[in-house]
Amino acid sequence: MANHKTVIVSKGKNGWGGPLELTPTDEKKYVISVTGGGIHPVAREIARLAGAEVVDSFKNPVAKEQTLVAVIDCGGTARCGTYPRLRIPTVNVKVMSPSGPLAKFMTEDIFVSGVTVGDVELADSETTVAAVPKTEVDEAEVKNAEKNKETVAAAAEPVEDNSTNNEIEGNKGVMGIIDKIAKGAGSFMNIMYQAGRDTIDTIIKNIIPFMAFVATLIGIINYTGIGEILANVFVPLSNNIGGLIILGVITALPFLSPLLAPGAVIGAIIGTLVGNEIANGNIDMSIALPALFAINAQVGTDFIPVGLTLGEAKPETISVGAPAILFSRVITGPLAVVIAYFMSFTL
Amino acid sequence: MDFMIAIADGFIGMFQAGAEVFMGYMTGIIPLLVTLITAVNAVTKMIGEEKINRFLQKITKYALLRYTLVPLIAVFFFTNPMCYTVGRFMPEKYKPAFYDSAVSFVHPITGLFPHANSAELFIWLGVATGYATAGGSQAQLGLMFLLTGLLVILMRGLVTERISAYMFKKQGYERILNEK
């Protein structure tokens, strides 16, 4: 593996972040492909140009210390933040800009999206090719630094207040009690305010966009009459427990479930259709609870290596865990529907 | 011309239908989410990560709690996807089963605590809004979703634990099985 070369990965059309400069070493020599359905061509291309090894993270998990770069295909929110959080350079083949609970970890120096095979190139003429993107990165870093300064400055004010408060704290008696109350109220307000800010942030970034998409979809489905056609397909399958168990088996199939799971989008669409038919009276209300499990037997199957990595699992554990979970779902998927069916008698 | 107007009417009408649905979400669901998520966010900040971690570390050794209470607390306080980091408190052999259990809870919890997985609310909301329109109680369904979820993740954790133990053995990783 003496042939290590520096590779530059730029963002694709409509992509975000980067460019990333990647140089494999003897220690960090693996390009991991966390894309499901085999090794992604972009991962293969990076490995070929850089003289690194490419592995399918679902089959052969690699410790994070040995990972040069992670190639992912996440259009959702969770997976794309996981590797940046571990400070592993991340190449997303899907177009997306930072969002989701881990958005703050996705910075331009470590995350690039919308990448295609054509965006991967060798840093041959290092001085010319590398120089241009570098200045871009520098500018971005300066901007980031400025932003940080602002937040630091904003954060510094309350801190100063606290320190003056601390001096007063020496005073005992009435002043001391008043001061304690004031301090308590101050920190309570701070927490509540920050909680509110986080909430509005997640509602704007995560919830409303999904609502926009679902509302548009339902509008089209109901208005055009596609709804009736879909109802004819769905109602026989989902208005009785037998059909729901079959749905639970389908969504749990090991080769299908990782494809159905990303972002919980497919489950959400089927759930919305079922809910729509419950509202229209075509599906019985008692079906709601088992249906919630039948549409979701695939949950998280696309995320197994990443989730286990977050739990600091060893590569051996991941290589055993992924098939174990996929296989377990074949049993527990339909079984969950049955449990929910019996629980629904109490509704 | 009338034909063109009819098409235009249909075109706009289709999106007006969508707009009504959207407005329903904005006025019916968003205000509740805003106050609920703010309150829970504040509570989790007040309790603090450290205390929760210390508590979780103590109770992961009991199988019954490992696949019920531990995922519940992890998902509630750390939310999706940070809840899976709790896996680090247990021996390697339990990690796949714990992940399976925790990830299966990120939707059942949203019926009552939408903050825990706000990006994937529609697994729940899609069915629940229909249920409410048909005259059902959304809170009751949410509670049942949560309780049934706990039963399901316990069952799922135990099954996956057995299957992964079998596979660890088959692959020759006895070392991991013996790890405490």
Side-chain angles (χ1 to χ4, degrees):
Chain A
M1 277 299 144
N3 253 341
H4 291 156
K5 284 185 189 138
T6 300
V7 166
I8 292 179
V9 183
S10 323
K11 68 180 177 200
K13 203 169 171 249
N14 299 326
W16 187 92
L20 301 181
E21 228 176 278
L22 304 166
T23 316
T25 60
D26 284 336
E27 203 174 287
K28 283 185 187 288
K29 61 182 176 188
Y30 291 107
V31 175
I32 64 171
S33 181
V34 200
T35 47
I39 292 168
H40 196 275
V42 168
R44 206 182 293 279
E45 180 71 5
I46 294 172
R48 189 181 67 83
L49 290 177
E53 286 178 46
V54 61
V55 295
D56 183 347
S57 191
F58 284 84
K59 295 205 182 94
N60 303 305
V62 172
K64 67 170 190 268
E65 292 79 17
Q66 294 178 310
T67 306
L68 170 70
V69 57
V71 177
I72 59 175
D73 64 343
C74 175
T77 50
R79 187 172 0 175
C80 41
T82 306
Y83 291 102
R85 183 177 170 272
L86 300 168
R87 296 303 293 167
I88 293 172
T90 305
V91 172
N92 194 349
V93 298
K94 296 229 170 115
V95 172
M96 68 151 314
S97 50
S99 66
L102 298 176
K104 62 171 180 274
F105 297 107
M106 294 176 224
T107 49
E108 283 169 335
D109 60 325
I110 204 154
F111 182 81
V112 56
S113 73
V115 176
T116 60
V117 174
D119 301 314
V120 182
E121 54 190 1
L122 211 53
D124 250 339
S125 41
E126 261 177 54
T127 42
T128 51
V129 183
V132 180
K134 254 197 181 162
T135 49
E136 275 178 26
V137 170
D138 284 347
E139 271 172 34
E141 268 173 3
V142 170
K143 271 186 210 158
N144 273 346
E146 274 170 22
K147 257 189 221 162
N148 285 342
K149 256 185 219 159
E150 278 172 22
T151 48
V152 166
E157 282 168 36
V159 170
E160 275 167 24
D161 286 350
N162 280 347
S163 61
T164 46
N165 282 346
N166 280 342
E167 283 164 25
I168 306 169
E169 206 177 9
N171 297 341
K172 291 248 165 75
V174 183
M175 280 310 287
I177 293 168
I178 290 175
D179 175 57
K180 257 188 193 153
I181 293 171
K183 235 173 92 180
S187 90
F188 178 76
M189 290 305 295
N190 240 343
I191 288 177
M192 288 304 286
Y193 188 43
Q194 187 54 43
R197 218 185 331 223
D198 290 351
T199 305
I200 297 302
D201 199 51
T202 193
I203 282 181
I204 288 176
K205 272 192 182 158
N206 299 325
I207 300 177
I208 294 182
F210 213 97
M211 284 182 168
F213 149 63
V214 171
T216 311
L217 203 70
I218 293 184
I220 293 173
I221 286 173
N222 281 348
Y223 191 83
T224 54
I226 299 174
E228 278 168 40
I229 301 169
L230 282 172
N232 289 336
V233 179
F234 266 104
V235 170
L237 189 63
S238 45
N239 71 349
N240 61 78
I241 183 65
L244 285 180
I245 293 175
I246 293 172
L247 191 60
V249 172
I250 295 172
T251 48
L253 288 174
F255 56 88
L256 202 58
S257 55
L259 301 175
L260 295 177
V265 177
I266 307 252
I269 291 173
I270 302 177
T272 307
L273 292 174
V274 170
N276 217 12
E277 293 313 312
I278 293 177
N280 296 339
N282 291 332
I283 294 180
D284 198 72
M285 279 170 72
S286 66
I287 284 302
L289 190 61
L292 281 165
F293 289 91
I295 60 175
N296 206 21
Q298 75 280 13
V299 57
T301 47
D302 61 319
F303 202 69
I304 300 169
V306 192
L308 286 171
T309 305
L310 283 171
E312 294 174 12
K314 289 180 182 148
E316 299 95 299
T317 309
I318 300 174
S319 70
V320 167
I325 291 170
L326 289 179
F327 183 67
S328 162
R329 288 295 172 90
V330 180
I331 303 165
T332 63
L335 200 52
V337 181
V338 175
I339 293 175
Y341 178 67
F342 284 109
M343 290 295 279
S344 70
F345 292 151
T346 62
L347 270 174
Chain B
M1 194 61 202
D2 284 351
F3 176 69
M4 301 275 275
I5 292 170
I7 287 184
D9 265 350
F11 179 75
I12 293 296
M14 188 161 70
F15 296 108
Q16 271 165 347
E20 256 167 54
V21 177
F22 185 70
M23 211 50 215
Y25 291 152
M26 293 303 273
T27 56
I29 299 172
I30 293 283
L32 176 71
L33 290 180
V34 167
T35 48
L36 183 59
I37 296 179
T38 303
V40 178
N41 271 349
V43 169
T44 56
K45 275 185 216 299
M46 278 173 207
I47 295 180
E49 212 169 298
E50 293 261 306
K51 265 183 218 155
I52 296 159
N53 278 339
R54 242 177 292 146
F55 178 66
L56 288 177
Q57 225 159 347
K58 271 181 214 155
I59 62 171
T60 51
K61 54 176 171 286
Y62 308 105
L64 183 68
L65 300 180
R66 188 163 59 236
Y67 305 124
T68 51
L69 191 60
V70 177
L72 172 70
I73 294 176
V75 176
F76 182 91
F77 285 102
F78 303 134
T79 76
N80 182 32
M82 293 315 290
C83 53
Y84 313 122
T85 57
V86 170
R88 70 186 187 278
F89 297 137
M90 49 195 84
E92 288 289 318
K93 62 179 169 183
Y94 295 144
K95 284 178 184 178
F98 172 74
Y99 168 76
D100 202 9
S101 178
V103 82
S104 300
F105 201 59
V106 298
H107 296 118
I109 200 172
T110 54
L112 289 184
F113 304 111
H115 73 284
N117 195 9
S118 54
E120 298 175 1
L121 277 185
F122 264 87
I123 293 269
W124 155 252
L125 277 183
V127 175
T129 43
Y131 187 78
T133 314
S137 153
Q138 200 168 322
Q140 198 188 359
L141 184 66
L143 179 66
M144 288 311 292
F145 192 24
L146 184 112
L147 293 176
T148 312
L150 283 174
L151 274 180
V152 166
I153 62 171
L154 175 63
M155 176 271 296
R156 192 161 277 173
L158 293 174
V159 171
T160 306
E161 189 183 305
R162 298 292 179 286
I163 294 176
S164 45
Y166 170 77
M167 288 180 71
F168 274 125
K169 207 179 223 171
K170 215 177 135 201
Q171 305 262 329
Y173 293 131
E174 255 106 7
R175 175 170 50 83
I176 287 180
L177 281 179
N178 296 331
E179 226 172 79
K180 282 272 164 77

